[in-house]
mmCIF file with all atom_site columns, all heavy atoms in Angstrom:
data_model
loop_
_atom_site.group_PDB
_atom_site.id
_atom_site.type_symbol
_atom_site.label_atom_id
_atom_site.label_alt_id
_atom_site.label_comp_id
_atom_site.label_asym_id
_atom_site.label_entity_id
_atom_site.label_seq_id
_atom_site.pdbx_PDB_ins_code
_atom_site.Cartn_x
_atom_site.Cartn_y
_atom_site.Cartn_z
_atom_site.occupancy
_atom_site.B_iso_or_equiv
_atom_site.pdbx_formal_charge
_atom_site.auth_seq_id
_atom_site.auth_comp_id
_atom_site.auth_asym_id
_atom_site.auth_atom_id
_atom_site.pdbx_PDB_model_num
ATOM 1   N N   . TYR A 1 13 ? -1.803 -5.355 4.860  1.00 98.00 ? 13 TYR A N   1
ATOM 2   C CA  . TYR A 1 13 ? -2.674 -4.189 4.610  1.00 98.00 ? 13 TYR A CA  1
ATOM 3   C C   . TYR A 1 13 ? -2.888 -3.389 5.896  1.00 98.00 ? 13 TYR A C   1
ATOM 4   O O   . TYR A 1 13 ? -2.823 -2.163 5.880  1.00 98.00 ? 13 TYR A O   1
ATOM 5   C CB  . TYR A 1 13 ? -4.023 -4.615 4.041  1.00 98.00 ? 13 TYR A CB  1
ATOM 6   C CG  . TYR A 1 13 ? -4.059 -4.715 2.542  1.00 98.00 ? 13 TYR A CG  1
ATOM 7   C CD1 . TYR A 1 13 ? -4.381 -5.908 1.906  1.00 98.00 ? 13 TYR A CD1 1
ATOM 8   C CD2 . TYR A 1 13 ? -3.795 -3.602 1.732  1.00 98.00 ? 13 TYR A CD2 1
ATOM 9   C CE1 . TYR A 1 13 ? -4.422 -6.005 0.528  1.00 98.00 ? 13 TYR A CE1 1
ATOM 10  C CE2 . TYR A 1 13 ? -3.841 -3.693 0.361  1.00 98.00 ? 13 TYR A CE2 1
ATOM 11  C CZ  . TYR A 1 13 ? -4.152 -4.894 -0.244 1.00 98.00 ? 13 TYR A CZ  1
ATOM 12  O OH  . TYR A 1 13 ? -4.195 -4.976 -1.614 1.00 98.00 ? 13 TYR A OH  1
ATOM 13  N N   . VAL A 1 14 ? -3.140 -4.083 6.983  1.00 98.00 ? 14 VAL A N   1
ATOM 14  C CA  . VAL A 1 14 ? -3.350 -3.392 8.265  1.00 98.00 ? 14 VAL A CA  1
ATOM 15  C C   . VAL A 1 14 ? -2.082 -2.644 8.669  1.00 98.00 ? 14 VAL A C   1
ATOM 16  O O   . VAL A 1 14 ? -2.141 -1.475 9.079  1.00 98.00 ? 14 VAL A O   1
ATOM 17  C CB  . VAL A 1 14 ? -3.792 -4.388 9.355  1.00 98.00 ? 14 VAL A CB  1
ATOM 18  C CG1 . VAL A 1 14 ? -3.783 -3.737 10.732 1.00 98.00 ? 14 VAL A CG1 1
ATOM 19  C CG2 . VAL A 1 14 ? -5.172 -4.950 9.032  1.00 98.00 ? 14 VAL A CG2 1
ATOM 20  N N   . LEU A 1 15 ? -0.936 -3.282 8.520  1.00 98.00 ? 15 LEU A N   1
ATOM 21  C CA  . LEU A 1 15 ? 0.326  -2.625 8.853  1.00 98.00 ? 15 LEU A CA  1
ATOM 22  C C   . LEU A 1 15 ? 0.589  -1.427 7.949  1.00 98.00 ? 15 LEU A C   1
ATOM 23  O O   . LEU A 1 15 ? 1.088  -0.393 8.394  1.00 98.00 ? 15 LEU A O   1
ATOM 24  C CB  . LEU A 1 15 ? 1.486  -3.621 8.761  1.00 98.00 ? 15 LEU A CB  1
ATOM 25  C CG  . LEU A 1 15 ? 1.509  -4.734 9.792  1.00 98.00 ? 15 LEU A CG  1
ATOM 26  C CD1 . LEU A 1 15 ? 2.589  -5.759 9.459  1.00 98.00 ? 15 LEU A CD1 1
ATOM 27  C CD2 . LEU A 1 15 ? 1.697  -4.171 11.184 1.00 98.00 ? 15 LEU A CD2 1
ATOM 28  N N   . LEU A 1 16 ? 0.233  -1.565 6.682  1.00 97.00 ? 16 LEU A N   1
ATOM 29  C CA  . LEU A 1 16 ? 0.394  -0.462 5.745  1.00 97.00 ? 16 LEU A CA  1
ATOM 30  C C   . LEU A 1 16 ? -0.454 0.733  6.168  1.00 97.00 ? 16 LEU A C   1
ATOM 31  O O   . LEU A 1 16 ? 0.017  1.866  6.182  1.00 97.00 ? 16 LEU A O   1
ATOM 32  C CB  . LEU A 1 16 ? -0.004 -0.931 4.346  1.00 97.00 ? 16 LEU A CB  1
ATOM 33  C CG  . LEU A 1 16 ? 0.415  -0.096 3.160  1.00 97.00 ? 16 LEU A CG  1
ATOM 34  C CD1 . LEU A 1 16 ? 1.920  -0.115 2.992  1.00 97.00 ? 16 LEU A CD1 1
ATOM 35  C CD2 . LEU A 1 16 ? -0.239 -0.632 1.897  1.00 97.00 ? 16 LEU A CD2 1
ATOM 36  N N   . LEU A 1 17 ? -1.687 0.469  6.552  1.00 97.00 ? 17 LEU A N   1
ATOM 37  C CA  . LEU A 1 17 ? -2.576 1.545  6.994  1.00 97.00 ? 17 LEU A CA  1
ATOM 38  C C   . LEU A 1 17 ? -2.112 2.153  8.314  1.00 97.00 ? 17 LEU A C   1
ATOM 39  O O   . LEU A 1 17 ? -2.185 3.367  8.505  1.00 97.00 ? 17 LEU A O   1
ATOM 40  C CB  . LEU A 1 17 ? -4.012 1.037  7.109  1.00 97.00 ? 17 LEU A CB  1
ATOM 41  C CG  . LEU A 1 17 ? -4.706 0.767  5.767  1.00 97.00 ? 17 LEU A CG  1
ATOM 42  C CD1 . LEU A 1 17 ? -5.965 -0.054 5.975  1.00 97.00 ? 17 LEU A CD1 1
ATOM 43  C CD2 . LEU A 1 17 ? -5.003 2.065  5.051  1.00 97.00 ? 17 LEU A CD2 1
ATOM 44  N N   . LEU A 1 18 ? -1.634 1.320  9.214  1.00 97.00 ? 18 LEU A N   1
ATOM 45  C CA  . LEU A 1 18 ? -1.130 1.828  10.495 1.00 97.00 ? 18 LEU A CA  1
ATOM 46  C C   . LEU A 1 18 ? 0.148  2.650  10.330 1.00 97.00 ? 18 LEU A C   1
ATOM 47  O O   . LEU A 1 18 ? 0.513  3.420  11.219 1.00 97.00 ? 18 LEU A O   1
ATOM 48  C CB  . LEU A 1 18 ? -0.870 0.677  11.468 1.00 97.00 ? 18 LEU A CB  1
ATOM 49  C CG  . LEU A 1 18 ? -2.102 0.017  12.064 1.00 97.00 ? 18 LEU A CG  1
ATOM 50  C CD1 . LEU A 1 18 ? -1.695 -1.202 12.883 1.00 97.00 ? 18 LEU A CD1 1
ATOM 51  C CD2 . LEU A 1 18 ? -2.882 1.000  12.910 1.00 97.00 ? 18 LEU A CD2 1
ATOM 52  N N   . GLY A 1 19 ? 0.797  2.511  9.193  1.00 97.00 ? 19 GLY A N   1
ATOM 53  C CA  . GLY A 1 19 ? 2.003  3.271  8.918  1.00 97.00 ? 19 GLY A CA  1
ATOM 54  C C   . GLY A 1 19 ? 1.796  4.772  9.008  1.00 97.00 ? 19 GLY A C   1
ATOM 55  O O   . GLY A 1 19 ? 2.723  5.512  9.323  1.00 97.00 ? 19 GLY A O   1
ATOM 56  N N   . ILE A 1 20 ? 0.596  5.227  8.768  1.00 95.00 ? 20 ILE A N   1
ATOM 57  C CA  . ILE A 1 20 ? 0.284  6.653  8.882  1.00 95.00 ? 20 ILE A CA  1
ATOM 58  C C   . ILE A 1 20 ? 0.443  7.106  10.326 1.00 95.00 ? 20 ILE A C   1
ATOM 59  O O   . ILE A 1 20 ? 0.921  8.206  10.594 1.00 95.00 ? 20 ILE A O   1
ATOM 60  C CB  . ILE A 1 20 ? -1.141 6.935  8.369  1.00 95.00 ? 20 ILE A CB  1
ATOM 61  C CG1 . ILE A 1 20 ? -1.191 6.666  6.869  1.00 95.00 ? 20 ILE A CG1 1
ATOM 62  C CG2 . ILE A 1 20 ? -1.568 8.355  8.672  1.00 95.00 ? 20 ILE A CG2 1
ATOM 63  C CD1 . ILE A 1 20 ? -2.577 6.677  6.300  1.00 95.00 ? 20 ILE A CD1 1
ATOM 64  N N   . LEU A 1 21 ? 0.063  6.254  11.253 1.00 96.00 ? 21 LEU A N   1
ATOM 65  C CA  . LEU A 1 21 ? 0.124  6.603  12.673 1.00 96.00 ? 21 LEU A CA  1
ATOM 66  C C   . LEU A 1 21 ? 1.488  6.340  13.304 1.00 96.00 ? 21 LEU A C   1
ATOM 67  O O   . LEU A 1 21 ? 1.810  6.909  14.343 1.00 96.00 ? 21 LEU A O   1
ATOM 68  C CB  . LEU A 1 21 ? -0.949 5.834  13.448 1.00 96.00 ? 21 LEU A CB  1
ATOM 69  C CG  . LEU A 1 21 ? -2.398 6.028  12.988 1.00 96.00 ? 21 LEU A CG  1
ATOM 70  C CD1 . LEU A 1 21 ? -3.318 5.101  13.747 1.00 96.00 ? 21 LEU A CD1 1
ATOM 71  C CD2 . LEU A 1 21 ? -2.799 7.480  13.160 1.00 96.00 ? 21 LEU A CD2 1
ATOM 72  N N   . THR A 1 22 ? 2.276  5.472  12.679 1.00 96.00 ? 22 THR A N   1
ATOM 73  C CA  . THR A 1 22 ? 3.553  5.071  13.278 1.00 96.00 ? 22 THR A CA  1
ATOM 74  C C   . THR A 1 22 ? 4.756  5.694  12.578 1.00 96.00 ? 22 THR A C   1
ATOM 75  O O   . THR A 1 22 ? 5.887  5.241  12.779 1.00 96.00 ? 22 THR A O   1
ATOM 76  C CB  . THR A 1 22 ? 3.699  3.536  13.264 1.00 96.00 ? 22 THR A CB  1
ATOM 77  O OG1 . THR A 1 22 ? 3.732  3.088  11.902 1.00 96.00 ? 22 THR A OG1 1
ATOM 78  C CG2 . THR A 1 22 ? 2.596  2.855  14.035 1.00 96.00 ? 22 THR A CG2 1
ATOM 79  N N   . GLY A 1 23 ? 4.514  6.691  11.767 1.00 92.00 ? 23 GLY A N   1
ATOM 80  C CA  . GLY A 1 23 ? 5.618  7.323  11.061 1.00 92.00 ? 23 GLY A CA  1
ATOM 81  C C   . GLY A 1 23 ? 6.227  6.436  9.990  1.00 92.00 ? 23 GLY A C   1
ATOM 82  O O   . GLY A 1 23 ? 7.382  6.612  9.621  1.00 92.00 ? 23 GLY A O   1
ATOM 83  N N   . GLY A 1 24 ? 5.473  5.482  9.506  1.00 93.00 ? 24 GLY A N   1
ATOM 84  C CA  . GLY A 1 24 ? 5.933  4.605  8.438  1.00 93.00 ? 24 GLY A CA  1
ATOM 85  C C   . GLY A 1 24 ? 6.593  3.326  8.899  1.00 93.00 ? 24 GLY A C   1
ATOM 86  O O   . GLY A 1 24 ? 6.922  2.468  8.079  1.00 93.00 ? 24 GLY A O   1
ATOM 87  N N   . LEU A 1 25 ? 6.790  3.152  10.196 1.00 97.00 ? 25 LEU A N   1
ATOM 88  C CA  . LEU A 1 25 ? 7.481  1.965  10.695 1.00 97.00 ? 25 LEU A CA  1
ATOM 89  C C   . LEU A 1 25 ? 6.733  0.675  10.346 1.00 97.00 ? 25 LEU A C   1
ATOM 90  O O   . LEU A 1 25 ? 7.330  -0.269 9.814  1.00 97.00 ? 25 LEU A O   1
ATOM 91  C CB  . LEU A 1 25 ? 7.690  2.070  12.208 1.00 97.00 ? 25 LEU A CB  1
ATOM 92  C CG  . LEU A 1 25 ? 8.502  0.958  12.845 1.00 97.00 ? 25 LEU A CG  1
ATOM 93  C CD1 . LEU A 1 25 ? 9.909  0.926  12.260 1.00 97.00 ? 25 LEU A CD1 1
ATOM 94  C CD2 . LEU A 1 25 ? 8.564  1.138  14.348 1.00 97.00 ? 25 LEU A CD2 1
ATOM 95  N N   . THR A 1 26 ? 5.436  0.632  10.620 1.00 97.00 ? 26 THR A N   1
ATOM 96  C CA  . THR A 1 26 ? 4.677  -0.584 10.308 1.00 97.00 ? 26 THR A CA  1
ATOM 97  C C   . THR A 1 26 ? 4.515  -0.760 8.806  1.00 97.00 ? 26 THR A C   1
ATOM 98  O O   . THR A 1 26 ? 4.432  -1.890 8.323  1.00 97.00 ? 26 THR A O   1
ATOM 99  C CB  . THR A 1 26 ? 3.304  -0.590 10.998 1.00 97.00 ? 26 THR A CB  1
ATOM 100 O OG1 . THR A 1 26 ? 2.572  0.565  10.595 1.00 97.00 ? 26 THR A OG1 1
ATOM 101 C CG2 . THR A 1 26 ? 3.446  -0.609 12.510 1.00 97.00 ? 26 THR A CG2 1
ATOM 102 N N   . ALA A 1 27 ? 4.507  0.340  8.059  1.00 97.00 ? 27 ALA A N   1
ATOM 103 C CA  . ALA A 1 27 ? 4.435  0.243  6.600  1.00 97.00 ? 27 ALA A CA  1
ATOM 104 C C   . ALA A 1 27 ? 5.707  -0.397 6.050  1.00 97.00 ? 27 ALA A C   1
ATOM 105 O O   . ALA A 1 27 ? 5.658  -1.163 5.079  1.00 97.00 ? 27 ALA A O   1
ATOM 106 C CB  . ALA A 1 27 ? 4.204  1.614  5.991  1.00 97.00 ? 27 ALA A CB  1
#
Side-chain angles (χ1 to χ4, degrees):
Y13 271 121
V14 170
L15 292 172
L16 196 67
L17 288 166
L18 287 174
I20 294 170
L21 303 174
T22 64
L25 185 61
T26 58

